[in-house]
């Protein structure tokens, strides 16, 4: 029987069994063939999370078909099949598993290079055909040769480290890597032109971007050293496939190892059936280890995303990495924003997050996102996530600022969120995370000190002070079946603010008459969930 209350995780491609273990029983797993467009568009409507590898195209059309999608998880590295800006626009988090398969991909590039250099697949085929043709297969040694790496990122570096063991000279082209970093790795950074001229073998490890698409075409291949071996285990389309096939046939390129194609899946390519070209059907990440890691990494991220928590591997969330010290403050700061949205349910013109004390030594760039999620909770209909909060702020003309102050008079760390409305009205709420149990507390509302756990439902009343108000409020709540768990009053002169933590949500039909009976000018209910 289907349990519809559990979040639906839609798996659109074959993933390692470890992904199901890591997802656990808290979600309902459904399967669809992500390459069957109609089936995908229908299945994604009810999905909370979508898990893909590289064959499913997740674009604006998919996001338009979704109703409650919160996260797209790519069980691997490359995100060229996921339209990240469209995801961001829709408040959908995109996560990948950036290190899960990098060793496998680097090893595959090495395997392809050796397979081409020693013509292993072709030699294997002759024996399968009961032919013994030793003299046909004369290979080349790597020792003493120059190997050029195009794209010196995670996989490029792993490839370089591994191929270095063959006694090669390493050069690389990557305009975004410093010469110092390359030198540390024993690699000389050169221009693409120089790399083409000097390399006996070239391995490509670039992402596919508008800048890199077609980077190696007929012109570049013509400039390369005659007989060069070219390997591409990165992305199809980085090298012009027609041009590469022609260059191998003419002998300008000595051979090529290709794992990726401009269209995938494919059974037709100019690179097929060309002597000297070794092809594999996008197998770089196809190892037990890489698939296990990719599956468990994205399952963990999906669980965090569905719980509304910060996800370290999210690629479309501003704010960068979130430290251990900062993490407990994310839900608290969202709650401070929720109190502000209850006090003033219109979009403010500015939101300031003030961080005091020990926390001010940390990178707190993510805290404004949490504050905005709370502040916008009553302002916009659509879901407010870590992903789309900055875009919503921009669309609504809300300026956002973080202020840090090392001094914190009463708390080790204190965060205040202040919102200024269009008419200049300012509201502020402060909170802290207290003790080993990391209890989230509200400690100040509009300059008045309290000490109240930020959980459940909190009622706030501003009223002219007089004897008996607490009793009246308590009686009326009791008559409505609402139990008070904690109560605090801050009184100054004739004015008082009462905050109550109660055992259930209280709707306006109950709350408004209570406010009227004590002459309250403000009565609010804040639900922390
Ligand atoms: N065949 C397979 O199964 C797999 C393929 N991949 C692919 O391998 C590629 C590399 O992945 P990673 O190393 O993890 O990425 P990465 O992001 O760590 O490294 C990419 C490098 O390319 C450089 N780069 C970017 N634009 C450039 C340009 N215009 N010219 C020169 N360099 C440029 C960057 O500075 C960076 O150092 C990606 O395309 C990824 O999708 C990844 C895993 C498995
Ligand atoms: O096997 C896969 O899922 C694709 C691996 C890949 O190309 C990547 O992670 O970028």
């Amino acid at each position: 029987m289907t349990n519809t209350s559990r979040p639906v995780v839609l798996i659109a491609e074959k993933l390692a069994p470890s992904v199901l273990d890591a997802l656990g029983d808290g979600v309902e797993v459904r399967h669809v063939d992500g390459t069957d467009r109609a089936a995908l568009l229908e299945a994604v409507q009810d999905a909370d999370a979508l898990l893909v590898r590289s064959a499913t195209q997740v674009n604006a059309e998919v996001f338009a078909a979704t109703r409650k999608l919160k996260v797209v998880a790519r069980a691997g590295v490359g995100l060229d099949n996921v339209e990240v800006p469209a995801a961001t626009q829709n408040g959908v988090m995109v996560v990948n598993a950036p290190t899960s398969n990098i060793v496998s991909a680097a090893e595959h590039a090495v395997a392809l290079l050796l397979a081409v250099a020693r013509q292993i697949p072709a030699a294997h085929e002759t024996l399968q055909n009961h032919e013994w043709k030793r003299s046909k297969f004369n290979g080349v040694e790597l020792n003493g040769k120059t190997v050029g790496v195009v794209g010196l990122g995670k996989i490029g570096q792993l490839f370089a480290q591994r191929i270095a063991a063959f006694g090669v000279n390493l050069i690389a082209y990557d305009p975004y890597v410093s010469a110092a970093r390359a030198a540390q790795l024993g690699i000389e950074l050169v221009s693409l032109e120089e790399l083409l001229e000097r390399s006996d073998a070239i391995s490509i490890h670039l992402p596919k971007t508008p800048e890199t698409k077609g980077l190696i075409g007929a012109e570049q291949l013509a400039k390369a050293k005659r007989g060069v071996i070219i390997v591409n285990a990165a992305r199809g389309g980085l090298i012009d496939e027609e041009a590469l096939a022609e260059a191998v046939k003419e002998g300008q390129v000595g051979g090529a190892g290709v794992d990726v194609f401009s269209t995938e899946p494919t059974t037709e390519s100019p690179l097929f059936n060309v002597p000297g070209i070794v092809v594999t059907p996008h197998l770089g990440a196809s190892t037990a280890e890489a698939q296990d890691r990719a599956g468990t990494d994205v399952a963990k991220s999906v669980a965090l995303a569905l719980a509304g928590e910060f996800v370290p591997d999210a690629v479309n969330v501003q704010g960068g990495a979130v430290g251990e010290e900062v993490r407990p403050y994310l839900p608290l700061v969202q709650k401070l924003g929720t109190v502000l949205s209850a006090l003033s349910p219109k979009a403010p013109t500015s939101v300031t997050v003030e961080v005091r004390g020990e926390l001010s030594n940390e990178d707190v760039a993510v805290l404004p996102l949490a504050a905005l999620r709370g502040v916008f909770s009553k302002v916009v209909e659509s879901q407010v996530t870590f992903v789309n909060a900055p875009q919503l702020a921009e669309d609504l003309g809300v300026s956002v600022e973080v202020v840090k102050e090392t001094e914190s008079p009463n708390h080790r760390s204190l965060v205040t969120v202040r919102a200024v409305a269009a008419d200049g009205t300012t509201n502020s709420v402060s909170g802290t995370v207290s003790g080993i149990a990391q209890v989230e507390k509200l400690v100040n509302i509009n300059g008045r000190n309290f000490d109240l756990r930020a959980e459940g439902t909190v009622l706030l009343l501003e009223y002219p002070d007089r004897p008996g108000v607490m009793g009246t409020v308590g009686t009326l709540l009791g008559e409505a079946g609402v139990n008070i768990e904690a109560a605090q009053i801050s009184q100054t002169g004739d004015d008082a603010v009462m905050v109550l933590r109660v055992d259930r949500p209280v709707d306006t039909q109950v709350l408004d008459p209570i406010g009227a009976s004590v002459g309250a000018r403000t009565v609010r209910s804040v639900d922390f969930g």
Side-chain angles (χ1 to χ4, degrees):
M1 198 175 79
T2 305
N3 181 349
T4 48
S5 65
R6 291 181 299 165
V8 172
V9 176
L10 184 64
I11 299 182
E13 290 178 60
K14 188 161 171 29
L15 300 179
S18 60
V19 78
L20 296 179
D21 296 337
L23 284 169
D25 295 335
V27 297
E28 181 191 336
V29 175
R30 296 183 190 171
H31 294 268
V32 69
D33 174 0
T35 59
D36 179 340
R37 202 66 186 161
L40 175 70
L41 292 178
E42 192 183 335
V44 83
Q45 290 180 20
D46 296 324
D48 294 275
L50 173 64
L51 266 66
V52 300
R53 280 177 69 174
S54 55
T56 307
Q57 297 304 315
V58 188
N59 57 13
E61 186 186 28
V62 172
F63 293 112
T66 65
R67 286 196 284 249
K68 51 183 187 139
L69 191 68
K70 292 172 188 65
V71 55
V72 173
R74 160 75 170 96
V77 175
L79 282 162
D80 44 313
N81 57 320
V82 181
E83 210 178 307
V84 179
T88 307
Q89 198 72 37
N90 287 275
V92 177
M93 187 179 285
V94 178
V95 302
N96 66 350
T99 55
S100 58
N101 58 27
I102 55 178
V103 168
S104 291
E107 287 184 0
H108 196 65
V110 172
L112 284 172
L113 177 49
L114 292 172
V116 175
R118 304 306 291 268
Q119 304 179 60
I120 292 169
H124 172 85
E125 205 179 323
T126 56
L127 281 180
Q128 301 306 298
N129 295 332
H130 307 283
E131 296 168 328
W132 183 266
K133 293 193 167 176
R134 284 185 75 194
S135 57
K136 193 177 171 197
F137 300 111
N138 212 18
V140 286
E141 273 186 2
L142 292 180
N143 185 42
K145 302 283 168 29
T146 296
V147 174
V149 180
V150 181
L152 198 54
K154 293 186 288 294
I155 299 171
Q157 291 184 26
L158 290 172
F159 169 82
Q161 282 167 349
R162 279 149 183 76
I163 213 70
F166 287 84
V168 301
N169 307 311
L170 279 163
I171 60 176
Y173 166 65
D174 189 328
Y176 305 106
V177 166
S178 72
R181 172 70 188 133
Q184 262 179 359
L185 297 161
I187 302 169
E188 182 190 352
L189 274 187
V190 296
S191 66
L192 180 59
E193 196 143 302
E194 188 176 342
L195 181 139
L196 290 164
E197 283 165 8
R198 285 176 53 190
S199 299
D200 299 291
I202 296 173
S203 193
I204 317 284
H205 299 284
L206 295 169
K208 190 171 176 182
T209 66
E211 199 188 355
T212 59
K213 197 170 165 210
L215 190 73
I216 313 278
E219 195 187 325
Q220 287 70 28
L221 294 171
K223 283 182 188 161
K225 201 170 181 176
R226 192 162 176 85
V228 64
I229 295 174
I230 295 187
V231 170
N232 182 10
R235 277 294 174 268
L238 297 171
I239 307 179
D240 181 324
E241 292 175 347
E242 297 274 359
L244 180 59
E246 274 315 300
V248 175
K249 285 177 197 163
E250 286 164 8
Q252 165 60 10
V253 170
V258 181
D259 184 45
V260 283
F261 302 89
S262 44
T263 305
E264 291 184 15
T266 185
T267 49
E268 298 293 333
S269 165
L271 299 169
F272 295 173
N273 297 315
V274 178
I277 301 185
V278 175
V279 287
T280 48
H282 203 146
L283 294 183
S286 294
T287 62
E289 294 84 352
Q291 287 312 306
D292 258 7
R293 272 194 298 269
T296 46
D297 287 0
V298 292
K300 281 181 199 157
S301 294
V302 163
L304 286 173
L306 292 179
E309 288 182 30
F310 190 80
V311 184
D313 283 341
V315 300
N316 59 344
V317 173
Q318 294 176 11
V322 179
E324 286 298 309
E325 299 297 319
V326 179
R327 209 160 287 183
Y329 279 84
L330 287 170
L332 171 78
V333 171
Q334 180 173 336
K335 288 175 177 178
L336 302 182
T338 307
V339 177
L340 288 174
S341 109
L343 290 173
S344 178
K346 283 195 184 142
T349 55
S350 77
V351 171
T352 305
V353 178
E354 185 186 276
V355 181
R356 286 178 170 267
E358 286 178 11
L359 193 65
S360 67
N361 299 319
E362 307 293 326
D363 179 353
V364 292
V366 72
L367 290 186
L369 306 187
L372 290 175
R373 290 183 76 193
V375 168
F376 291 150
S377 54
K378 286 199 164 50
V379 175
V380 293
E381 289 286 325
S382 54
Q383 61 176 348
V384 186
T385 66
F386 282 109
V387 176
N388 65 354
Q391 186 61 50
L392 281 173
E394 203 179 314
D395 294 349
L396 295 166
V398 183
S399 70
V400 186
E401 189 187 18
V402 181
V403 178
K404 283 181 169 187
E405 188 65 62
T406 46
E407 291 302 311
S408 169
N410 301 321
H411 303 276
R412 273 175 57 195
S413 296
L414 181 75
V415 180
T416 300
V417 183
R418 192 169 289 113
V420 181
D423 63 2
T425 314
T426 302
N427 283 300
S428 72
V429 185
S430 307
T432 191
V433 176
S434 166
I436 300 173
Q438 301 202 320
V439 177
E440 297 162 11
K441 286 185 170 179
L442 292 178
V443 297
N444 191 291
I445 300 175
N446 284 336
R448 292 172 183 273
N449 290 329
F450 298 96
D451 189 343
L452 198 78
R453 283 171 177 260
E455 58 193 34
T457 298
V458 168
L459 307 180
L460 182 143
L461 291 90
E462 289 179 296
Y463 56 94
D465 193 34
R466 63 188 157 80
V469 172
M470 181 79 210
T472 308
V473 171
T475 304
L476 293 172
L477 283 173
E479 283 169 7
V482 179
N483 193 30
I484 298 173
E485 292 175 340
Q488 288 177 20
I489 295 175
S490 166
Q491 185 260 348
T492 40
D494 294 339
D495 208 36
V497 174
M498 181 190 298
V499 287
L500 305 171
R501 208 181 63 242
V502 294
D503 68 345
R504 69 197 59 191
V506 184
D507 59 31
T508 47
Q509 281 110 315
V510 172
L511 208 52
D512 288 348
I514 295 177
S517 71
V518 298
R521 60 176 189 285
T522 316
V523 193
R524 299 280 188 267
S525 170
V526 185
D527 222 335
F528 291 131

Short mmCIF file of all heavy atoms in Angstrom, two decimals, residues 77-78 101-102 105 151-155 173-176 205-207 211-212 233-235 259-260 282 284-285, ligand 1:
data_model
loop_
_atom_site.label_atom_id
_atom_site.label_comp_id
_atom_site.label_asym_id
_atom_site.label_seq_id
_atom_site.Cartn_x
_atom_site.Cartn_y
_atom_site.Cartn_z
N VAL A 77 29.32 13.75 -11.14
CA VAL A 77 29.96 15.07 -11.13
C VAL A 77 29.27 16.06 -12.07
O VAL A 77 28.72 17.07 -11.65
CB VAL A 77 31.45 14.93 -11.53
CG1 VAL A 77 32.11 16.30 -11.65
CG2 VAL A 77 32.20 14.06 -10.56
N GLY A 78 29.31 15.74 -13.38
CA GLY A 78 28.90 16.72 -14.41
C GLY A 78 27.44 17.12 -14.28
O GLY A 78 26.57 16.27 -14.08
N ASN A 101 33.16 9.96 -8.01
CA ASN A 101 33.67 9.11 -9.09
C ASN A 101 34.94 9.63 -9.74
O ASN A 101 35.33 9.17 -10.81
CB ASN A 101 32.57 8.91 -10.14
CG ASN A 101 32.07 10.22 -10.71
OD1 ASN A 101 32.81 11.20 -10.73
ND2 ASN A 101 30.84 10.24 -11.20
N ILE A 102 35.59 10.59 -9.08
CA ILE A 102 36.73 11.23 -9.75
C ILE A 102 37.92 10.28 -9.92
O ILE A 102 38.60 10.33 -10.93
CB ILE A 102 37.15 12.55 -9.03
CG1 ILE A 102 37.43 12.30 -7.54
CG2 ILE A 102 36.10 13.63 -9.21
CD1 ILE A 102 37.90 13.55 -6.80
N ALA A 105 37.06 7.98 -12.80
CA ALA A 105 37.16 8.68 -14.10
C ALA A 105 38.63 8.85 -14.49
O ALA A 105 39.01 8.64 -15.65
CB ALA A 105 36.46 10.03 -14.03
N GLY A 151 42.57 21.05 -18.58
CA GLY A 151 41.62 21.09 -17.46
C GLY A 151 42.26 20.41 -16.27
O GLY A 151 42.21 19.19 -16.14
N LEU A 152 42.89 21.23 -15.39
CA LEU A 152 43.64 20.66 -14.27
C LEU A 152 42.81 20.76 -12.97
O LEU A 152 43.27 21.29 -11.97
CB LEU A 152 44.99 21.38 -14.14
CG LEU A 152 46.08 20.69 -13.34
CD1 LEU A 152 46.34 19.28 -13.82
CD2 LEU A 152 47.36 21.52 -13.35
N GLY A 153 41.58 20.26 -13.05
CA GLY A 153 40.72 20.26 -11.85
C GLY A 153 40.91 18.96 -11.09
O GLY A 153 42.01 18.39 -11.09
N LYS A 154 39.83 18.50 -10.47
CA LYS A 154 39.94 17.32 -9.60
C LYS A 154 40.41 16.09 -10.39
O LYS A 154 41.37 15.43 -10.01
CB LYS A 154 38.58 17.03 -8.94
CG LYS A 154 38.14 18.12 -7.96
CD LYS A 154 36.88 17.75 -7.22
CE LYS A 154 35.63 17.81 -8.08
NZ LYS A 154 35.25 19.15 -8.55
N ILE A 155 39.73 15.81 -11.51
CA ILE A 155 40.09 14.60 -12.27
C ILE A 155 41.39 14.80 -13.04
O ILE A 155 42.23 13.89 -13.10
CB ILE A 155 38.93 14.18 -13.20
CG1 ILE A 155 37.68 13.87 -12.36
CG2 ILE A 155 39.31 12.96 -14.05
CD1 ILE A 155 36.41 13.64 -13.16
N TYR A 173 47.08 22.80 -19.56
CA TYR A 173 46.43 24.06 -19.90
C TYR A 173 45.20 24.21 -19.03
O TYR A 173 44.28 23.37 -19.08
CB TYR A 173 46.03 24.08 -21.39
CG TYR A 173 45.09 25.20 -21.72
CD1 TYR A 173 45.50 26.53 -21.62
CD2 TYR A 173 43.77 24.95 -22.11
CE1 TYR A 173 44.64 27.58 -21.90
CE2 TYR A 173 42.90 25.98 -22.40
CZ TYR A 173 43.33 27.29 -22.29
OH TYR A 173 42.47 28.31 -22.55
N ASP A 174 45.18 25.23 -18.20
CA ASP A 174 44.00 25.56 -17.39
C ASP A 174 44.17 26.99 -16.91
O ASP A 174 44.91 27.26 -15.97
CB ASP A 174 43.88 24.59 -16.19
CG ASP A 174 42.56 24.76 -15.44
OD1 ASP A 174 42.03 25.89 -15.41
OD2 ASP A 174 42.05 23.76 -14.91
N PRO A 175 43.48 27.94 -17.56
CA PRO A 175 43.68 29.35 -17.21
C PRO A 175 43.22 29.70 -15.81
O PRO A 175 43.52 30.78 -15.32
CB PRO A 175 42.84 30.11 -18.26
CG PRO A 175 41.93 29.11 -18.87
CD PRO A 175 42.52 27.75 -18.66
N TYR A 176 42.49 28.80 -15.14
CA TYR A 176 41.97 29.12 -13.80
C TYR A 176 42.82 28.52 -12.69
O TYR A 176 42.47 28.62 -11.51
CB TYR A 176 40.52 28.65 -13.68
CG TYR A 176 39.66 29.21 -14.78
CD1 TYR A 176 39.24 28.40 -15.84
CD2 TYR A 176 39.32 30.55 -14.80
CE1 TYR A 176 38.48 28.92 -16.87
CE2 TYR A 176 38.56 31.08 -15.84
CZ TYR A 176 38.15 30.25 -16.87
OH TYR A 176 37.40 30.77 -17.90
N HIS A 205 40.08 17.05 -19.49
CA HIS A 205 39.31 16.92 -18.24
C HIS A 205 38.58 18.21 -17.93
O HIS A 205 38.68 18.75 -16.82
CB HIS A 205 40.26 16.51 -17.10
CG HIS A 205 40.91 15.20 -17.35
ND1 HIS A 205 40.25 14.00 -17.19
CD2 HIS A 205 42.15 14.89 -17.82
CE1 HIS A 205 41.06 13.00 -17.54
NE2 HIS A 205 42.21 13.52 -17.93
N LEU A 206 37.85 18.71 -18.93
CA LEU A 206 37.14 19.99 -18.79
C LEU A 206 35.67 19.75 -18.49
O LEU A 206 35.10 18.73 -18.90
CB LEU A 206 37.19 20.74 -20.13
CG LEU A 206 38.53 21.21 -20.65
CD1 LEU A 206 38.38 21.67 -22.08
CD2 LEU A 206 39.06 22.33 -19.77
N PRO A 207 35.01 20.74 -17.87
CA PRO A 207 33.54 20.69 -17.85
C PRO A 207 33.05 21.14 -19.23
O PRO A 207 33.79 21.80 -19.97
CB PRO A 207 33.18 21.74 -16.80
CG PRO A 207 34.32 22.70 -16.82
CD PRO A 207 35.55 21.93 -17.21
N GLU A 211 32.13 27.97 -23.23
CA GLU A 211 33.52 28.30 -23.53
C GLU A 211 34.31 27.06 -24.01
O GLU A 211 35.19 27.17 -24.86
CB GLU A 211 34.14 28.85 -22.25
CG GLU A 211 35.39 29.66 -22.41
CD GLU A 211 36.00 29.97 -21.04
OE1 GLU A 211 35.42 29.65 -19.99
OE2 GLU A 211 37.10 30.53 -21.06
N THR A 212 33.98 25.90 -23.45
CA THR A 212 34.81 24.72 -23.74
C THR A 212 34.25 23.85 -24.88
O THR A 212 34.96 23.01 -25.41
CB THR A 212 34.96 23.82 -22.49
OG1 THR A 212 33.66 23.40 -22.07
CG2 THR A 212 35.64 24.55 -21.35
N ALA A 233 37.72 11.59 -21.59
CA ALA A 233 36.80 10.91 -20.67
C ALA A 233 36.08 11.98 -19.85
O ALA A 233 35.72 11.74 -18.71
CB ALA A 233 37.56 9.94 -19.76
N ALA A 234 35.89 13.16 -20.49
CA ALA A 234 35.23 14.25 -19.75
C ALA A 234 33.81 14.44 -20.27
O ALA A 234 32.85 13.97 -19.65
CB ALA A 234 36.04 15.53 -19.89
N ARG A 235 33.65 15.10 -21.40
CA ARG A 235 32.33 15.30 -21.97
C ARG A 235 32.39 15.27 -23.49
O ARG A 235 33.33 15.82 -24.09
CB ARG A 235 31.76 16.66 -21.53
CG ARG A 235 31.10 16.63 -20.17
CD ARG A 235 29.86 15.75 -20.16
NE ARG A 235 29.26 15.56 -18.85
CZ ARG A 235 29.53 14.56 -18.01
NH1 ARG A 235 30.45 13.66 -18.30
NH2 ARG A 235 28.89 14.45 -16.87
N ASP A 259 35.45 8.22 -24.27
CA ASP A 259 34.42 7.62 -23.40
C ASP A 259 33.09 8.35 -23.50
O ASP A 259 32.07 7.83 -23.04
CB ASP A 259 34.91 7.69 -21.94
CG ASP A 259 33.96 7.02 -20.95
OD1 ASP A 259 33.51 5.90 -21.26
OD2 ASP A 259 33.68 7.60 -19.89
N VAL A 260 33.12 9.54 -24.08
CA VAL A 260 31.92 10.41 -24.02
C VAL A 260 31.63 10.99 -25.40
O VAL A 260 32.54 11.25 -26.20
CB VAL A 260 32.17 11.55 -23.00
CG1 VAL A 260 32.03 11.05 -21.58
CG2 VAL A 260 33.54 12.19 -23.21
N HIS A 282 30.60 5.72 -22.13
CA HIS A 282 30.54 6.56 -20.92
C HIS A 282 30.68 5.71 -19.65
O HIS A 282 29.77 5.65 -18.82
CB HIS A 282 29.24 7.37 -20.88
CG HIS A 282 29.36 8.61 -20.03
ND1 HIS A 282 28.69 9.79 -20.31
CD2 HIS A 282 30.05 8.85 -18.89
CE1 HIS A 282 28.98 10.69 -19.39
NE2 HIS A 282 29.81 10.14 -18.51
N GLY A 284 33.36 6.00 -17.50
CA GLY A 284 34.32 6.58 -16.54
C GLY A 284 33.94 6.36 -15.09
O GLY A 284 34.79 6.10 -14.24
N ALA A 285 32.65 6.48 -14.79
CA ALA A 285 32.21 6.38 -13.40
C ALA A 285 31.63 5.01 -13.08
O ALA A 285 31.12 4.79 -11.99
CB ALA A 285 31.16 7.45 -13.11
N1 LIG B 1 33.52 9.98 -18.04
C1 LIG B 1 32.90 10.02 -16.90
O1 LIG B 1 32.18 9.08 -16.54
C2 LIG B 1 33.08 11.17 -16.02
C3 LIG B 1 33.29 12.42 -16.53
N2 LIG B 1 33.42 13.50 -15.70
C4 LIG B 1 33.66 14.79 -16.32
O2 LIG B 1 35.03 15.14 -16.15
C5 LIG B 1 35.16 16.55 -16.27
C6 LIG B 1 36.09 17.09 -15.20
O3 LIG B 1 35.52 16.89 -13.92
P1 LIG B 1 36.24 17.47 -12.60
O4 LIG B 1 37.69 17.30 -12.71
O5 LIG B 1 35.53 16.87 -11.46
O6 LIG B 1 35.87 19.00 -12.72
P2 LIG B 1 36.60 20.22 -12.01
O7 LIG B 1 35.60 21.31 -11.98
O8 LIG B 1 37.24 19.79 -10.75
O9 LIG B 1 37.76 20.61 -13.04
C7 LIG B 1 37.54 21.22 -14.26
C8 LIG B 1 38.76 22.05 -14.58
O10 LIG B 1 38.56 22.63 -15.86
C9 LIG B 1 39.05 23.93 -15.83
N3 LIG B 1 38.45 24.75 -16.87
C10 LIG B 1 37.21 25.26 -16.90
N4 LIG B 1 37.02 25.97 -18.04
C11 LIG B 1 38.18 25.88 -18.73
C12 LIG B 1 38.62 26.38 -19.99
N5 LIG B 1 37.81 27.11 -20.75
N6 LIG B 1 39.87 26.07 -20.40
C13 LIG B 1 40.70 25.32 -19.63
N7 LIG B 1 40.36 24.83 -18.41
C14 LIG B 1 39.10 25.11 -17.99
C15 LIG B 1 38.70 24.44 -14.44
O11 LIG B 1 39.55 25.52 -14.07
C16 LIG B 1 38.95 23.21 -13.59
O12 LIG B 1 40.26 23.21 -13.06
C17 LIG B 1 33.75 17.09 -16.22
O13 LIG B 1 33.31 17.35 -17.54
C18 LIG B 1 32.95 15.96 -15.68
O14 LIG B 1 31.62 16.03 -16.08
C19 LIG B 1 33.37 13.36 -14.36
C20 LIG B 1 33.17 12.14 -13.78
C21 LIG B 1 32.98 10.95 -14.57
#
